[in-house]
């Protein structure tokens, strides 16, 4: 259930960017960069019993609220709406959580939906080893301009033999190529069944220091959507100070 904190905010016609908690936390880290650099403000939260409950200080430089499991941010021009997810779904709750996200998407009347997810690079098939390690998958998408942009950016399709920007049929989603990708599989299935247009960017990564992978995903998202000028540098949020140093994390987190 979406609980708005800004009654004047509107999502109609906005583009939704959302992460799937997946290997390396790459999508979440990429979304951190987007929110902090765009200085998006929180317009509400999505209350769900499907996620592990958490509460922590805001990790963003320009905000001072308490962080909760699922938050909705928006830029000042309302062009970009961004979800940040701070905790994973509980065991056996992935499908229910995907349904809750789908209900939010359908009720919000977004113009476009962009899903960011990652997949275990150790389980790539041979044809996915070479070439770009961020792949694209479109579902119910007939936007030829987007298809052309995907081709121009050399964002290879997730599965071999299919041109980027060409949506697969109902029984042809290449979900077998997604590993440790969180809620991406059930959500993409629901998008297909509900005729919701979505483009997914899939980062093929190994677990470790995934900051470079997150920057690459933010770059790919920006190249696709033109969020910020290409000359602008990403601004990491203050929470990144403790990414690789858990022993020095602030006591407020606990």
């Amino acid at each position: 259930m979406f609980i708005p904190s800004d009654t004047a905010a509107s999502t109609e016609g906005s583009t939704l960017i959302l992460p799937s908690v997946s290997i390396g936390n790459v999508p979440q880290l990429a979304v951190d960069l987007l929110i902090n650099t765009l200085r998006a403000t929180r317009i509400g939260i999505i209350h769900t019993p499907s996620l592990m409950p958490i509460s922590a200080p805001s990790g963003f430089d320009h905000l001072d609220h308490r962080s909760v499991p699922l938050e909705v941010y928006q830029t000042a021009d309302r062009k970009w709406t961004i979800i940040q997810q701070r905790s994973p779904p509980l065991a056996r709750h992935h499908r229910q959580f995907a349904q809750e996200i789908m209900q939010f998407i359908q009720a919000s009347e977004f113009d476009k939906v962009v899903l960011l997810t990652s997949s275990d690079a150790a389980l790539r098939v041979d044809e996915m080893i070479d070439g770009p390690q961020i792949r694209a998958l479109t579902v119910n998408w007939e936007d030829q301009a987007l298809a052309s942009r995907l081709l121009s950016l050399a964002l290879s399709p997730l599965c071999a033999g299919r041109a980027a920007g060409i949506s697969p049929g109902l029984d042809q989603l290449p979900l077998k190529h997604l590993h440790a990708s969180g809620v991406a599989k059930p959500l993409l299935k629901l998008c297909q069944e509900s005729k919701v247009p979505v483009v997914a960017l899939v980062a093929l990564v190994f677990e470790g220091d995934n900051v470079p992978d997150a920057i690459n995903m933010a770059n790919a998202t920006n190249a696709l959507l033109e969020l910020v000028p290409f000359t602008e540098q990403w601004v990491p949020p203050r929470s990144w100070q403790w990414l690789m140093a858990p022993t020095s994390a602030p006591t407020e987190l606990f």
Side-chain angles (χ1 to χ4, degrees):
M1 179 178 63
F2 177 58
I3 303 174
S5 56
D6 181 357
T7 56
S10 173
T11 56
E12 183 179 356
S14 180
T15 294
L16 175 66
I17 304 170
L18 72 156
S20 172
V21 175
S22 43
I23 184 168
N25 295 322
V26 173
Q28 292 166 284
L29 293 173
V31 163
D32 268 351
L33 292 175
L34 300 184
I35 292 172
N36 205 59
T37 302
L38 292 169
R39 300 189 72 79
T41 57
R42 194 171 76 175
I43 62 170
I45 66 173
I46 299 176
H47 174 71
T48 167
S50 300
L51 298 183
M52 184 180 299
I54 62 104
S55 176
S58 172
F60 298 113
D61 300 344
H62 60 293
L63 299 172
D64 197 29
H65 57 257
R66 298 291 299 180
S67 292
V68 295
L70 201 60
E71 302 171 316
V72 183
Y73 294 83
Q74 195 174 74
T75 54
D77 58 8
R78 301 182 181 176
K79 189 175 181 180
W80 313 109
T81 302
I82 309 170
I83 287 179
Q84 181 56 293
Q85 184 177 338
R86 293 296 187 187
S87 65
L90 297 167
R92 298 183 294 278
H93 281 68
H94 284 73
R95 186 175 300 276
Q96 177 181 330
F97 178 59
Q99 292 171 342
E100 293 167 346
I101 292 296
M102 177 56 59
Q103 291 170 1
F104 171 71
I105 290 173
Q106 292 176 317
S108 300
E109 300 182 334
F110 292 110
D111 179 53
K112 299 182 180 69
V113 177
V114 178
L115 173 66
L116 307 183
T117 189
S118 51
S119 182
D120 192 346
L123 299 176
R124 293 169 294 180
V125 294
D126 289 348
E127 59 264 29
M128 296 172 69
I129 294 176
D130 293 328
Q133 294 303 286
I134 294 183
R135 302 297 179 106
L137 172 63
T138 56
V139 176
N140 299 323
W141 205 289
E142 298 179 356
D143 187 336
Q144 293 303 313
L146 175 73
S148 299
R149 181 174 290 276
L150 288 171
L151 288 171
S152 68
L153 295 173
L155 288 174
S156 301
L158 180 61
C159 58
R162 185 180 302 280
I166 304 301
S167 296
L170 184 60
D171 299 320
Q172 298 174 323
L173 283 177
L175 300 182
K176 65 180 181 180
H177 296 304
L178 294 177
H179 306 281
S181 296
V183 77
K185 285 186 180 182
L187 185 56
L188 287 170
K189 285 183 179 179
L190 288 173
C191 288
Q192 179 71 286
E193 295 167 358
S194 302
K195 308 298 182 184
V196 173
V198 59
V199 57
L201 297 182
V202 184
L204 307 174
V205 303
F206 296 98
E207 191 85 53
D209 179 2
N210 295 106
V211 168
D213 298 310
I215 293 172
N216 287 338
M217 174 157 273
N219 287 339
T221 306
N222 188 46
L224 181 64
L225 300 177
E226 298 181 332
L227 300 162
V228 298
F230 292 105
T231 55
E232 188 170 332
Q233 298 291 317
W234 297 114
V235 181
R238 60 191 178 200
S239 59
W240 280 30
Q241 298 175 48
W242 303 288
L243 278 180
M244 305 303 292
T247 57
S248 64
T251 56
E252 290 86 353
L253 288 176
F254 312 102

